[in-house]
Amino acid sequence: MKKLLWELDASPSKRIYHSIIADYTPELSIYELIDNAIDNSKECSKLEICVDLDLSDNSITIKDNSWWISWKDLENIVSPWKSWNSWDENNIWIFWVWSKRWVISLAKKISIVTHSVNDNKTYKIEYDEDWVQDDNWKIPYYEVDNIELWTTIIELSQLRAIEIKELIDRLNKWLPDVYWLIIQNKKVVIKLNWKEINFITSFDSEWAFPKWFEPKEIKKIHKYKEWDVEVIIKTGLKIKWSTNEYWVTFFWNNRLICKYTKDEEVWYYKWWAWAPHPEMSIFHMLVYFNWPSKLIPWNSTKSWINYQSKIYKLIKDEIVENLVNFSKAAKYLSKKEWSWTKNIVPYNTWTIQKINWNNIDAWKSYKLPIWKIKKSYSEKILDDNNSIIEKKPWIRWLVEWMIAVDLILRTGLIQKNRIAFIVLDSNFEIWMKEYLVNEEKIGNSKFDEIKENRTKVIDELKKRRPDLIADINATNYYYLIRNNFIHQKASPMVTDLDLENYKILITRIINTMFWTVIH
């Protein structure tokens, strides 16, 4: 059976305002009023928003030229769920909130004046604490003297326990960050007490470009129901070290949501990206959401990310994967032995690599290589000698001989010391010949005369490099050891000390002859 008894009145109670008053800070309320003007400035060639905080009469005035409100739409200002913005537009927020939440949280007395273009009249709405306490939602509106065309002015008085001076200080500090992307394009001007707000430090600057760890800009479009959801993730190392300004910053349709967040929900997922730590304070990630308002993944105050949002979970893998790469880079490159100022600070003039994540080839080129965070001995030696190898390519294979000695010593071979000793001594003899031919230019006839006799090669080198005589003479002892276990004994052992001392001696001679950096 189904019998109609009565219709229930589900109209909201104005008690909803009491929780709003307790939840929102004054600066968040002012951000909302600025957001509102920005969202409604699509037909405005240059938007100007003036926020005036008056210490003398403890009042706040917000004036903008974003748009106007016709008399038919005035109810949208008051009704909590009415709006003329579309869910499908890339707005900062869907609702106009002048009197819905934020003005109520700021003041007990509110006045809103707007000049309507379609009938060239100026309308005024005003209400106070009595209206908030009354459950009647009706509100009168008036026609008043015209103000500037396209202009809307919000006047707030009888403020709710707000310290104006402290609020001014906080706004001066935060407004440049919150609207950093928006005020960059010069089409939006935000003034605080008639002084224009300019961004002081750009989030998207001071990138470092060390080899193998250049900043990456990843762009990906996700399909969510009928929407194309675009996310841009820009990740890299920073030139300046900071105890706090690192990790992840989120933007929504060009508006800052939260900066330098180190929440566990950001970095902990199917794999670890390593928890935030001062060792990683040279690392930063910028995440830009460009989505319709309906898909907003932030909390109700627009001050933090809602990590449980299905939309956020769409892009979490990309965020964590980039965190893994660059947090490891930051951790290792910030260690003392990597010389942070040497390896990171100087590299600040290259361009950021842009990658389309939807392009499979670009995706593979970025994703598949495993970054070798800690350089191997061979990579470090080749890197250290890169400049001289570029000038003298023939030196590369000589350097690689020294690398071969190190690789042999890392094996588990029983006779590794003997093998390494032979390679080291043979390399020294080849180095001497290469020096005489390529550096001293002794000519083919002279080289043919001495090349088969090591003693003649050494004598020729001593004549041309008297500064090396002492070290070259010292090699005779080790040369006798080499001859001994090659020609006289079947299985002699080379001690670790003899091998290490010989390696040090040969390295010193080679570095002196060729200006190489071998250690």
Side-chain angles (χ1 to χ4, degrees):
M1 182 184 73
K2 182 179 177 181
K3 181 181 178 182
L4 177 64
L5 297 178
W6 196 247
E7 291 181 344
L8 299 175
D9 184 3
S11 300
S13 167
K14 289 183 184 175
R15 290 178 184 176
I16 62 174
Y17 284 123
H18 295 292
S19 62
I20 290 169
I21 291 168
D23 288 344
Y24 299 114
T25 63
E27 51 265 41
L28 284 177
S29 301
I30 290 176
Y31 298 160
E32 282 288 349
L33 298 173
I34 294 172
D35 293 344
N36 181 80
I38 292 170
D39 278 345
N40 291 281
S41 63
K42 296 178 179 63
E43 297 188 28
C44 181
S45 58
K46 185 165 186 178
L47 172 64
E48 185 171 296
I49 305 167
C50 300
V51 181
D52 181 28
L53 288 79
D54 195 324
L55 282 166
S56 61
D57 62 1
N58 203 39
S59 66
I60 299 174
T61 303
I62 297 95
K63 178 182 177 182
D64 71 77
N65 63 336
S66 64
W67 195 235
W68 46 271
I69 310 170
S70 70
W71 67 270
K72 292 182 292 184
D73 294 322
L74 287 172
E75 62 182 20
N76 289 343
I77 297 177
V78 182
S79 180
W81 295 282
K82 288 187 177 180
S83 174
W84 47 78
N85 287 340
S86 168
W87 281 111
D88 298 322
E89 295 177 354
N90 287 24
N91 296 315
I92 299 175
W93 189 229
I94 182 64
F95 297 117
W96 273 37
V97 291
W98 283 339
S99 65
K100 293 171 184 175
R101 300 189 299 185
W102 308 98
V103 290
I104 294 293
S105 72
L106 284 170
K108 297 179 181 179
K109 188 173 182 180
I110 298 104
S111 167
I112 302 172
V113 182
T114 182
H115 189 164
S116 175
V117 174
N118 57 358
D119 57 8
N120 196 28
K121 292 182 179 180
T122 297
Y123 298 104
K124 182 175 185 178
I125 293 176
E126 51 186 7
Y127 52 97
D128 54 20
E129 190 72 3
D130 292 336
W131 180 83
V132 174
Q133 300 299 331
D134 189 347
D135 274 342
N136 180 11
W137 284 92
K138 294 185 180 297
I139 187 168
Y141 68 96
Y142 309 92
E143 182 182 350
V144 295
D145 293 337
N146 278 342
I147 60 174
E148 296 172 69
L149 201 61
W150 306 95
T151 301
T152 299
I153 302 173
I154 308 165
E155 295 178 337
L156 310 173
S157 54
Q158 297 181 24
L159 303 181
R160 299 181 186 274
I162 296 173
E163 292 292 336
I164 291 290
K165 189 175 185 308
E166 292 179 5
L167 179 57
I168 292 173
D169 292 339
R170 292 197 298 272
L171 289 174
N172 271 317
K173 179 181 178 181
W174 280 91
L175 281 175
D177 288 347
V178 174
Y179 299 101
W180 163 66
L181 277 172
I182 292 172
I183 61 180
Q184 271 193 97
N185 62 18
K186 304 299 183 182
K187 292 183 179 180
V188 177
V189 175
I190 300 174
K191 295 182 178 180
L192 180 61
N193 284 0
W194 310 106
K195 183 180 179 181
E196 184 174 345
I197 294 293
N198 293 301
F199 61 91
I200 302 169
T201 303
S202 171
F203 289 101
D204 194 9
S205 65
E206 299 176 347
W207 295 109
F209 297 81
K211 188 176 181 181
W212 302 334
F213 304 106
E214 298 87 353
K216 312 286 183 184
E217 181 180 305
I218 310 296
K219 179 179 178 181
K220 186 171 184 180
I221 298 176
H222 291 270
K223 192 71 178 177
Y224 181 75
K225 297 182 180 179
E226 69 269 28
W227 292 284
D228 288 330
V229 178
E230 180 186 271
V231 62
I232 297 173
I233 302 173
K234 191 176 291 186
T235 320
L237 303 177
K238 296 169 58 180
I239 295 174
K240 291 186 178 179
W241 179 87
S242 169
T243 56
N244 182 57
E245 295 178 358
Y246 67 102
W247 217 244
V248 185
T249 295
F250 291 96
F251 291 90
W252 173 271
N253 291 341
N254 294 332
R255 199 268 214 187
L256 178 71
I257 303 176
C258 53
K259 67 175 184 176
Y260 309 127
T261 175
K262 303 165 186 66
D263 292 345
E264 183 176 302
E265 291 88 346
V266 175
W267 56 264
Y268 183 80
Y269 193 39
K270 296 176 182 176
W271 55 84
W272 279 65
W274 290 351
H277 189 275
E279 285 181 336
M280 303 175 198
S281 60
I282 54 172
F283 152 74
H284 193 200
M285 172 185 285
L286 303 176
V287 181
Y288 303 92
F289 303 113
N290 294 299
W291 303 344
S293 302
K294 191 173 185 177
L295 308 181
I296 292 175
W298 55 20
N299 61 10
S300 61
T301 62
K302 299 198 297 189
S303 59
W304 218 254
I305 289 287
N306 174 15
Y307 298 114
Q308 302 309 313
S309 163
K310 291 182 180 179
I311 301 299
Y312 179 77
K313 290 179 180 180
L314 268 181
I315 52 94
K316 185 166 185 177
D317 279 357
E318 285 93 48
I319 290 176
V320 175
E321 185 155 352
N322 280 275
L323 277 174
V324 169
N325 282 329
F326 281 95
S327 59
K328 285 181 179 180
K331 182 178 178 67
Y332 281 109
L333 291 177
S334 63
K335 289 183 178 295
K336 289 182 180 179
E337 61 264 28
W338 280 87
S339 181
W340 176 74
T341 54
K342 176 184 176 183
N343 289 299
I344 293 181
V345 172
Y347 301 94
N348 59 359
T349 57
W350 298 349
T351 57
I352 295 175
Q353 181 184 358
K354 296 186 178 182
I355 300 167
N356 183 349
W357 205 272
N358 295 97
N359 181 310
I360 190 66
D361 293 328
W363 177 78
K364 282 183 177 181
S365 70
Y366 173 75
K367 186 173 182 177
L368 294 184
I370 300 173
W371 285 6
K372 301 178 76 172
I373 306 299
K374 196 167 184 178
K375 296 180 185 178
S376 66
Y377 174 78
S378 59
E379 290 170 329
K380 192 167 189 337
I381 293 296
L382 289 171
D383 260 11
D384 290 344
N385 293 281
N386 184 59
S387 59
I388 193 168
I389 289 173
E390 286 181 355
K391 297 175 183 176
K392 303 173 181 179
W394 52 272
I395 286 182
R396 180 184 177 96
W397 75 274
L398 299 174
V399 172
E400 289 178 351
W401 269 68
M402 298 301 291
I403 293 171
V405 172
D406 181 76
L407 294 177
I408 292 168
L409 293 174
R410 293 173 185 269
T411 68
L413 298 175
I414 295 174
Q415 293 290 337
K416 63 182 180 183
N417 280 13
R418 184 178 183 180
I419 299 169
F421 199 97
I422 294 171
V423 172
L424 182 61
D425 187 75
S426 299
N427 191 31
F428 173 56
E429 190 169 326
I430 294 170
W431 272 93
M432 289 191 290
K433 293 174 182 179
E434 290 288 352
Y435 177 80
L436 292 172
V437 171
N438 292 290
E439 299 292 329
E440 296 295 338
K441 311 293 184 184
I442 63 173
N444 292 335
S445 59
K446 184 65 176 177
F447 180 69
D448 289 340
E449 179 187 329
I450 66 173
K451 67 180 181 181
E452 301 297 335
N453 189 314
R454 177 171 174 142
T455 303
K456 290 182 179 180
V457 171
I458 289 176
D459 289 341
E460 188 68 27
L461 181 61
K462 286 180 181 179
K463 282 194 292 185
R464 297 173 183 274
R465 290 298 300 263
D467 58 313
L468 295 174
I469 290 175
D471 281 343
I472 292 172
N473 288 338
T475 66
N476 292 333
Y477 165 74
Y478 299 101
Y479 182 59
L480 290 174
I481 293 176
R482 174 186 184 270
N483 287 336
N484 189 42
F485 63 65
I486 286 181
H487 302 297
Q488 296 180 22
K489 296 184 180 181
S491 57
M493 296 299 294
V494 179
T495 66
D496 291 340
L497 181 61
D498 276 341
L499 180 59
E500 181 63 24
N501 286 339
Y502 193 29
K503 186 180 177 185
I504 292 171
L505 180 61
I506 296 300
T507 299
R508 185 165 65 240
I509 295 172
I510 291 172
N511 287 341
T512 304
M513 285 197 299
F514 295 100
W515 297 94
T516 51
V517 183
I518 300 173
H519 42 80

